[in-house]
Amino acid sequence: MHSTYSYPKFAYTPSEEQRTGTVKRHPVVVVGAGPVGMTAAIDLAQKGVPVVVLDDDDTVSIGSRAVCYAKRALEVWDRMGSAQKMIDKGVIWKIGKVFHGDSQVYQFDLLPEPDHKIPAFINLQQYYLEEYLITDAKKTERVDLRWKSRVLSVKQQDDHVVLQVETPDGVYALEADWVIACDGAKSSIRKMLDLEFVGEVFQDRFLIADVVMKADFPAERWFWFDPPFHQKQSTLLHMQADNVWRIDFQLGWGADPEEEKKPERVIPRLKAMLGEDTEFELEWVSVYTFQCRRLENFRKGRVFFAGDSAHQVSPFGARGANSGVPDADNLVWKLKLVMDGVAPDSLLDTYSDERVAAAKENLLNSTRSTDFITPKSEVSRTFRDAVLNLAGEQPFARSLVNSGRLSTPTTYVDSRLNTPDGDRFEGKMVPGAPATDAPVEAQGQAGWLMDKLGGGFVALYYAGGDAVPAEVAERLDGLAKGAVPFAWHAVTSRRREALPNELVDVNGRFEERYDATPGTLYLIRPDQHVAGRWRNFDADKLAGALNRAVGL
Amino acid sequence: MATLVTENRLANPDDFYEALIDTHRDLSAEQSNMVNAKLVLLLANHIGDMEVLKEALRIARKGV
């Protein structure tokens, strides 16, 4: 199997400290070289922090795993310069269709508005994505990737962590100021620290079949309840790169996973769906069950959990990797500020607070989808079927059809890092919300707002059609060089003299999406979430919001 | 905030009751369950007020 992809094999090289038998202290050790671990490693490295990544394997993710990557995860990768090749290789989509029997009952559009740099979703096999991230990590020259390195134990000390690591050359000890455990749903670090990972197990099995075929399905997410080719169960179809199609068949709890994986069982199912005459080649088959659970706290002393090691969801809604990447995005800037002595240690607790809130939202959505797709009782199934039954003719019922509510970024509404609104604003850019994109022109070059945000704090001053008042510019210049540094941009509604920090709101999307009036000021965090906003510039308020956003 | 009306609002309660029972005539228990489920969904949407619905759900469950 796997005719379209050959797995790279990364060379194991013994580390110098293992060869020489010296124990070395590292600022950050990341455990797990999956999408989340590599995101954290690249982000840290680009901020100047050397990172050791330990992975017990020596290749990328095997088989058909994550498929759908959402806008927000792509925006994080774009900030690091990694998204373009994923988008180029992947399949861009935004339309989802839901069928009941053989008729369509519902359709959704995940990005109905124009003028965003990054698409709503792409589909891409996980191995490509990991391969790209590993290449980008190497480019930073600050990521020390150690393959065939299995963590055997974790011991927390007052000011560091000691890890015992097993390699083909034996066992050695490694010290780290901070550890980020991105070692997946079966996290061994989590077990070593004896942390409870509780939630729900769903009694259902799904068959994954990846097939290579030239098919004329559009690049959309198609989901069937009770289709004629797979009665009483559901089926999901996604297009991936290289003419590979991912098909998930619901099997029910009684199915025998070993039997169901056999080609003589899988091929007839596929033929029933695709038609006898469709030529296809089977690329990958597996059977999975799923769980919805999370850690109580994503921080334990000097160890952080990110991605599936911290929270596990059902696949409906693409909320796995898409919530793991924002974990890394949320953690890295905080860790950097604490390492630099700018922010107090307590800022790191807000990583857990904010991302636990996100995990709760994801688990809620994922559990609700699962209850619709896999009803747990007779009455639950009756209501589900009643919804599907009505959805064909009754518009209201379509909004109850739940084949997975697709991943959207979390607004940290209750975060203590937010400065609550004192002025009246409309729209979605509330404190805690992820910043939304708009086309902007900088020094005559067409570009995107998102490219001007991120990495560090950014203040956006909306001047409308006028120039930024001189005293405002002066105060912003001064504050920007303070203890918590930031960059600032003037956003204007028309082209003026091209100042280096001027962004022209070329078609008014900024004004509209940020509900901006002349004098409006936004403070955006390094992870591109809104920290605070005001109708008029007030230096004290801005300085207060900056302090608050770093936990001071 | 709207509250669930529990005083009679039906001009002719017996007519409604008869129509409800008639709707289920000749149906199996399974078919009746489906009709009831669809009915709940249709009426819930018509009410459209989560507080009222929650109150109805609470009362319906009481004593069962």
Side-chain angles (χ1 to χ4, degrees), chain A residues 73-84 87 117-118 450-451:
Chain A
L74 291 166
E75 283 174 346
V76 174
W77 286 321
D78 199 41
R79 174 169 66 71
M80 304 177 346
S82 297
Q84 198 53 51
I87 295 168
K117 180 183 182 188
I118 300 293
M450 292 308 274
D451 289 341

Side-chain angles (χ1 to χ4, degrees), chain A residues 170-200:
Chain A
V171 178
Y172 71 105
L174 188 78
E175 290 181 358
D177 290 338
W178 305 98
V179 172
I180 310 177
C182 308
D183 54 345
K186 293 175 186 155
S187 170
S188 50
I189 306 289
R190 194 179 63 220
K191 284 175 203 141
M192 287 166 201
L193 293 176
D194 206 18
L195 299 171
E196 264 202 305
F197 198 49
V198 287
E200 263 184 284

Side-chain angles (χ1 to χ4, degrees), chain A residues 382-383 385-387 389-390 396, chain B residues 33-34 37-38 40-42 45:
Chain A
T382 302
F383 274 114
D385 290 346
V387 167
N389 220 305
L390 288 167
F396 86 92
Chain B
N33 285 341
M34 178 56 72
K38 287 165 77 173
V40 167
L41 295 169
L42 283 159
N45 180 65

